[in-house]
Amino acid sequence: MAHSIELLLDQRAETAIRQMWRELADAGLPSQLSVTSHTNRPHITLVAAERIAPDIDEELSWLAAELPRPAVLGAPLVFGGGRLTLARLVIPSDSLLAAHEQVYDDCLPFASNVFAHSAPGRWTPHVTLGRRFTPAQIGEALTIDGLAAEIRVSLVGMRRWDGDAKREYLIS
């Protein structure tokens, strides 16, 4: 299972993303709404790895102290080859890119097998809407009203996700 460091959205933005999840599910399409874990919530993954040691939490307190930070959710985005992931792009401001690069560097001594897509220059900030779409389902999803409206958000929290234990640890 993967471990990750994630940014959390303000309540208004989280509600808007959950509404998108609901609209996808209501249309019979893949949706993050189907993930039943109590820790399932909209987030932006900064770093993902095979394992991230808990000691990183203290190292990352600098970023938690800089929250909240503004961000903008932009256009829908599609990842993958066979089965596709639908997400919303987080428009990458200079400030967000700099914070990501610092978090990535801070995580390296605490992480094993950091996933390549987390590296600066390869990272695409996003909020996932659903996974395992077929190309036809992506086309259908993109016709849903409200899935593409630009949303101004506030990044209000940070967590470390432990995929082995299926637990989140808030970083403050």
Side-chain angles (χ1 to χ4, degrees):
M1 275 289 151
H3 290 218
S4 57
I5 303 298
E6 303 168 351
L7 291 171
L8 304 174
L9 310 177
D10 66 271
Q11 188 60 51
R12 185 187 56 74
E14 187 168 317
T15 298
I17 293 295
R18 287 182 184 278
Q19 178 59 35
M20 291 177 207
W21 291 357
R22 164 70 51 210
E23 289 174 11
L24 288 166
D26 288 349
L29 296 168
S31 167
Q32 287 301 100
L33 191 65
S34 67
V35 178
T36 58
S37 168
H38 71 282
T39 60
N40 180 36
R41 63 191 296 188
H43 64 273
I44 301 163
T45 300
L46 291 170
V47 176
E50 188 174 293
R51 183 170 192 301
I52 301 175
D55 299 344
I56 190 61
D57 296 1
E58 188 174 323
E59 292 290 321
L60 294 179
S61 62
W62 66 268
L63 180 55
E66 292 182 5
L67 299 175
R69 282 178 173 225
V72 178
L73 300 184
L77 183 64
V78 179
F79 294 106
R83 292 300 233 173
L84 307 169
T85 296
L86 179 63
R88 288 292 301 271
L89 176 67
V90 177
I91 298 172
S93 66
D94 289 342
S95 170
L96 181 60
L97 291 172
H100 166 258
E101 187 169 355
Q102 185 62 54
V103 168
Y104 181 88
D105 290 345
D106 289 351
C107 282
L108 288 178
F110 298 91
S112 58
N113 191 24
V114 176
F115 301 157
H117 68 269
S118 294
R122 298 191 66 192
W123 177 65
T124 303
H126 65 279
V127 177
T128 300
L129 300 179
R131 301 176 192 280
R132 298 185 235 352
F133 282 80
T134 65
Q137 288 172 322
I138 288 289
E140 186 178 342
L142 293 176
T143 68
I144 295 174
D145 287 338
L147 219 60
E150 188 174 282
I151 302 172
R152 298 203 175 278
V153 304
S154 190
L155 306 174
V156 297
M158 188 166 49
R159 72 179 181 177
R160 177 176 46 84
W161 168 249
D162 179 335
D164 296 322
K166 304 262 191 271
R167 283 195 61 194
E168 68 178 346
Y169 300 89
L170 295 179
I171 299 172
S172 56

